[in-house]
Amino acid sequence: MSEQTWLARAVELATSNVGDGGGPFGAVIVRDGTIVAEGQNRVTRDLDPTAHAEVLAIRAACTALATFELTGCTLYASCEPCPLCVSASLWARLDRVVYAADRDDAARGGFDDRAFYELFDRPRAEWSMALTHVTTPDAAAPFDAWLANEARTAY
């Protein structure tokens, strides 16, 4: 199978999802020439702002492979992943992300992520959402417990 085949499947998932009341995004995760998982945007259907197609595909692939890291896998997305999905892809340790439409196509469709890309370039004090660091005496306790746990799974 070729990249065009996997991208065509992601675009098919995105297009059919529109007819089912979802957003116009689809994703496929492939390993060794086989589809491991698929995802469709379920933000409005599930009332979950994190239910992006790529994130759902990553969750399904991790479940299918019984792991939290997807080394050896490629994510094929119908559109350039937003910052959330790029971050999820990095955390999942995907080898590659390949996409069809780009951020300009998404913006034309009403899904403009430019504000997020631009936000990350600005000082946090200028963000529309406050991000405040408040120190507490036990703030490091979870990390101390983590480091003391010899049975922990490193990631």
Side-chain angles (χ1 to χ4, degrees):
M1 298 286 207
S2 71
E3 290 190 334
Q4 293 294 324
T5 302
W6 305 127
L7 286 171
R9 178 62 184 150
V11 169
E12 177 185 337
L13 288 166
T15 304
S16 68
N17 198 45
V18 172
D20 293 336
F25 302 96
V28 176
I29 294 181
V30 175
R31 184 173 75 174
D32 299 327
T34 303
I35 292 178
V36 175
E38 298 178 337
Q40 293 172 299
N41 181 284
R42 302 290 193 210
V43 170
T44 55
R45 188 197 80 174
D46 294 352
L47 305 177
D48 179 354
T50 68
H52 292 205
E54 298 90 338
V55 171
L56 295 183
I58 288 168
R59 290 174 184 165
C62 288
T63 298
L65 298 174
T67 184
F68 59 85
E69 59 93 17
L70 299 174
T71 302
C73 295
T74 299
L75 182 138
Y76 294 92
S78 63
C79 187
E80 180 177 358
C82 72
L84 169 73
C85 295
V86 169
S87 296
S89 297
L90 289 166
W91 276 108
R93 294 172 180 83
L94 288 158
D95 286 1
R96 296 175 65 220
V97 174
V98 181
Y99 59 90
D102 65 18
R103 65 180 75 176
D104 295 321
D105 296 312
R108 186 179 61 77
F111 298 88
D112 194 350
D113 295 332
R114 279 178 261 223
F116 295 115
Y117 289 106
E118 292 168 2
L119 175 72
F120 296 133
D121 286 336
R122 292 197 318 258
R124 287 183 178 174
E126 296 177 15
W127 290 16
S128 62
M129 176 193 75
L131 186 63
T132 307
H133 177 214
V134 176
T135 303
T136 61
D138 59 348
F143 300 107
D144 295 338
W146 171 258
L147 292 170
N149 180 0
E150 293 183 19
R152 72 182 178 270
T153 301
Y155 68 97

